[in-house]
Amino acid sequence: MSAAEISTLRVVGSVNQDGIEKAVRIPRLEERITEELVIALVGPVGSGCTETYKQLDKILGADYGYQVYYYKLSDFISREAPLVGEKIPELLSPAQRIDRLQSIGDKLRETHGNAYLAASAIKQIAALREKEGFDEPRPNVRVPKKLRQIHVIDSIKHPEELRLLRSTYGDILWLIGVFAPLEVRNRRLRSSKDSDESSLSRMIQRDYCEEGDRKHGQDVRAVFHQADFFVRNEQENTKDLKESLERFLEIIFGWPVHTPTRDESLMYAAHAEAAKSACLSRQVGAAIASEKGELIGLGRNDVPKYDGGLYTEEDGRKDHRCHAWQEKCCHNDKMKGRLYQQIFEKLRDAKLLAPEASQADVAQAVKKTDVKRLIEYSRAVHAEMDAITAVARTHKAGLLGGTLYVTTYPCHSCARHIVASGIHKVVFIEPYPKSLATDLHYDAVSENENEQGKVVFLQFSGMAPKNILKLFNIGLTRKGSDGTLTRYDKKTASPVVKVSLDDYPTHEQLVVAELPENEERTAHR
């Protein structure tokens, strides 16, 4: 055995079956970085999550040499249906089968927890790891193996499922949001499902957000905007989908030179601006780009101040944002509370209420109407309005024909200002159910990218802004000693986000185990 090999060994005091003490190689810390990943998919029904898995399977297997394992959550629903006294009849049309799966999935979440289906996938992944994922370097010690494998989970329907997956897998989990315009999804579902228009509409709405059962029902809307990567899948062929996924994988596996697209850069600017908002309801950011893609204005939702602009952290004692002003409350919520009280008092005085009806009962009933959606009483300027006025205040050109990037879908109040400003396109990430933009302004606003003569509102496509610095500013070596682009081999490439196979107490032991070798090396210099 060479001196170099001996230096990597440490006698740990354990003995084998023959009673002979044996030396065990202590791995270096960098050798314990995992290559394993978990990819979860989320998308409204008809968007093509299963097709996305098929493309990932081909690319990861052929180009990256990965073993891909697939977990379809609807299969777990079918398998576990007897737990809630249900089963899936064999003679069902595709549409009827989806309806049954949706209902049984709701019952499983209600009975066994909202994260039950994700936990079932985790259980299956754990069983696979138990079978082949551990080494045993010495008695009673199990060390996780480095496995070049990826688990694809199709598809997440509830925020608790995502929360469990993130808490279990941390940075090795990547959530891909797959989307297609509503008319494309309708066309796909009509061609593949035996269902009428009414049933299709009900299926799509139930999948996106079950209004009657927000606690245990499907809620794709609440999951989708949390994705790490958003991919548009609207074409009849898979060319665009394949290219988008190839770019995503090249980025997370460290292709030497990938930079953010224009949309990614500008949405990142909007995302960063949102962080400056102190609004008690939500943080929203906006960025406006000229027709040529130049950033000309930023905005966030916050309280305006005299002489232009919004209050900031630097205003100190003169900061009059809601969190520091008067009752330190959301004034929109405060005003709606007054309205609930007024409605109760008027109904009571007109003797239109049952004697036992309380103000709380009336308020609860009224909250189920569109009164709850009122947004008129906020002190904050919305991010879109702030961005538009910022452009005007600084006398910049480029608003006409420009694009507005916003972290949340514009409300109907902002929509009319966007139309009036001359902006031609809006790109958003998070949906906003209170918005009546397309209802009140269908003559001027459309979600169909191909419709002419209207401002188009489009779902963002690309790397989520929260990942921009993590993936594009990580100090990759781009050139070799000869000055040429560094060699990149997909078959051996590792994820750029480094995650250890072990916990931090194990990290400490590995570092301590290296100390004698390091000290000896230093002594011989």
Side-chain angles (χ1 to χ4, degrees):
M1 184 178 291
S2 69
E5 290 173 320
I6 293 173
S7 70
T8 66
L9 300 176
R10 178 167 66 94
V11 176
V12 296
S14 61
V15 295
N16 61 19
Q17 293 179 344
D18 298 323
I20 301 173
E21 192 172 47
K22 62 179 181 179
V24 177
R25 181 182 183 278
I26 303 300
R28 296 185 182 279
L29 200 58
E30 59 268 22
E31 295 173 340
R32 301 300 296 154
I33 302 301
T34 185
E35 294 184 310
E36 188 173 6
L37 293 177
V38 179
I39 294 178
L41 305 174
V42 60
V45 62
S47 292
C49 283
T50 301
E51 181 58 42
T52 301
Y53 152 69
K54 291 177 181 177
Q55 293 299 319
L56 286 169
D57 186 32
K58 291 177 183 176
I59 300 167
L60 287 163
D63 296 350
Y64 291 85
Y66 262 80
Q67 176 68 50
V68 182
Y69 297 95
Y70 182 54
Y71 311 84
K72 194 170 180 64
L73 294 193
S74 60
D75 290 343
F76 293 117
I77 295 176
S78 300
R79 190 184 70 191
E80 306 299 346
L83 291 177
V84 289
E86 298 282 356
K87 65 178 181 178
I88 309 291
E90 292 184 8
L91 299 178
L92 289 179
S93 70
Q96 289 172 329
R97 179 176 174 79
I98 288 178
D99 182 70
R100 291 294 296 146
L101 287 169
Q102 288 177 329
S103 296
I104 296 171
D106 291 355
K107 290 184 73 172
L108 285 167
R109 281 187 287 268
E110 182 176 9
T111 306
H112 301 294
N114 286 329
Y116 177 73
L117 296 173
S120 297
I122 292 170
K123 179 181 178 182
Q124 195 162 319
I125 294 171
L128 180 67
R129 192 185 318 285
E130 187 68 27
K131 183 178 179 181
E132 58 183 41
F134 291 93
D135 283 323
E136 296 188 5
R138 61 183 188 267
N140 303 318
V141 176
R142 305 175 75 229
V143 179
K145 288 181 182 178
K146 289 187 71 167
L147 299 171
R148 199 166 176 81
Q149 62 186 27
I150 285 184
H151 310 275
V152 181
I153 300 174
D154 174 15
S155 56
I156 305 302
K157 298 292 186 182
H158 195 283
E160 287 297 327
E161 294 171 350
L162 176 60
R163 188 172 293 114
L164 180 64
L165 289 170
R166 286 212 190 281
S167 62
T168 302
Y169 295 112
D171 286 341
I172 73 168
L173 175 74
W174 294 91
L175 179 66
I176 298 180
V178 186
F179 68 92
L182 180 59
E183 63 181 49
V184 174
R185 292 189 281 124
N186 269 322
R187 184 172 66 248
R188 289 172 179 168
L189 293 169
R190 276 196 301 269
S191 65
S192 62
K193 312 297 180 189
D194 178 21
S195 182
D196 57 38
E197 291 295 325
S198 176
S199 298
L200 277 179
S201 177
R202 191 163 54 249
M203 178 200 306
I204 289 171
Q205 179 56 47
R206 185 177 186 184
D207 172 76
Y208 193 57
C209 178
E210 291 193 65
E211 294 290 351
D213 187 9
R214 291 298 304 279
K215 189 173 182 181
H216 306 297
Q218 296 188 174
D219 199 353
V220 169
R221 185 186 72 195
V223 180
F224 186 86
H225 70 275
Q226 300 183 60
D228 296 291
F229 183 72
F230 300 89
V231 59
R232 182 185 294 272
N233 179 35
E234 61 183 340
Q235 301 301 323
E236 296 299 327
N237 59 51
T238 58
K239 183 175 182 294
D240 288 351
L241 175 63
K242 181 174 180 289
E243 289 179 354
S244 293
L245 295 173
E246 285 175 337
R247 177 176 181 267
F248 166 72
L249 292 172
E250 286 177 358
I251 291 169
I252 68 171
F253 279 98
W255 182 270
V257 183
H258 262 303
T259 58
T261 63
R262 177 187 296 180
D263 281 0
E264 288 170 340
S265 294
L266 290 162
M267 188 59 82
Y268 175 74
H271 179 75
E273 189 67 15
K276 295 162 63 178
S277 169
C279 182
L280 298 178
S281 296
R282 67 173 69 215
Q283 293 175 294
V284 182
I288 298 177
S290 69
E291 203 167 1
K292 292 185 177 180
E294 300 154 324
L295 178 62
I296 58 174
L298 293 169
R300 64 186 182 278
N301 59 326
D302 228 326
V303 179
K305 67 178 181 180
Y306 171 72
D307 210 28
L310 311 178
Y311 289 107
T312 67
E313 191 86 1
E314 288 77 19
D315 286 313
R317 293 182 181 179
K318 293 183 179 180
D319 185 351
H320 291 161
R321 291 177 290 183
C322 295
H323 75 92
W325 195 65
Q326 292 189 358
E327 298 100 325
K328 299 178 176 56
C329 67
C330 173
H331 288 265
N332 195 57
D333 287 348
K334 180 181 178 182
M335 187 60 191
K336 284 191 289 188
R338 288 181 186 172
L339 291 177
Y340 299 144
Q341 181 179 352
Q342 290 171 10
I343 292 169
F344 166 74
E345 291 173 351
K346 293 296 183 182
L347 292 173
R348 181 197 60 195
D349 294 346
K351 302 189 185 308
L352 296 174
L353 292 177
E356 66 274 14
S358 67
Q359 181 174 324
D361 294 331
V362 172
Q364 192 62 35
V366 174
K367 285 179 181 179
K368 296 179 181 179
T369 71
D370 284 345
V371 171
K372 185 181 179 182
R373 298 186 176 209
L374 289 175
I375 56 175
E376 312 300 323
Y377 308 107
S378 173
R379 297 179 65 234
V381 172
H382 288 194
E384 301 93 322
M385 296 185 194
D386 183 36
I388 291 170
T389 56
V391 173
R393 194 167 57 244
T394 53
H395 309 291
K396 290 181 179 177
L399 193 61
L400 188 63
T403 300
L404 184 140
Y405 295 83
V406 62
T407 56
T408 301
Y409 190 100
C411 72
H412 42 275
S413 180
C414 286
R416 57 179 177 252
H417 290 85
I418 291 167
V419 172
S421 72
I423 286 170
H424 283 185
K425 184 166 72 172
V426 174
V427 180
F428 67 92
I429 290 182
E430 185 175 355
Y432 187 57
K434 292 182 180 181
S435 179
L436 300 174
T438 53
D439 294 325
L440 297 177
H441 302 286
Y442 66 86
D443 60 313
V445 172
S446 173
E447 294 179 355
N448 182 346
E449 186 173 12
N450 299 317
E451 190 161 1
Q452 300 295 316
K454 293 185 180 181
V455 182
V456 291
F457 284 30
L458 300 177
Q459 175 72 53
F460 171 75
S461 177
M463 194 64 69
K466 62 186 177 183
N467 292 320
I468 294 297
L469 294 182
K470 181 164 70 173
L471 294 172
F472 294 104
N473 191 27
I474 54 176
L476 288 174
T477 302
R478 291 180 167 178
K479 64 178 181 179
S481 57
D482 61 353
T484 60
L485 182 68
T486 187
R487 184 174 178 274
Y488 177 82
D489 182 3
K490 291 182 178 180
K491 282 286 195 290
T492 58
S494 297
V496 296
V497 178
K498 305 299 183 185
V499 178
S500 176
L501 287 160
D502 312 300
D503 54 22
Y504 68 86
T506 305
H507 296 175
E508 292 169 346
Q509 294 176 41
L510 293 175
V511 172
V512 170
E514 287 183 22
L515 278 176
E517 178 187 345
N518 294 335
E519 290 168 352
E520 183 178 351
R521 187 186 306 116
T522 303
H524 288 85
R525 282 181 181 175

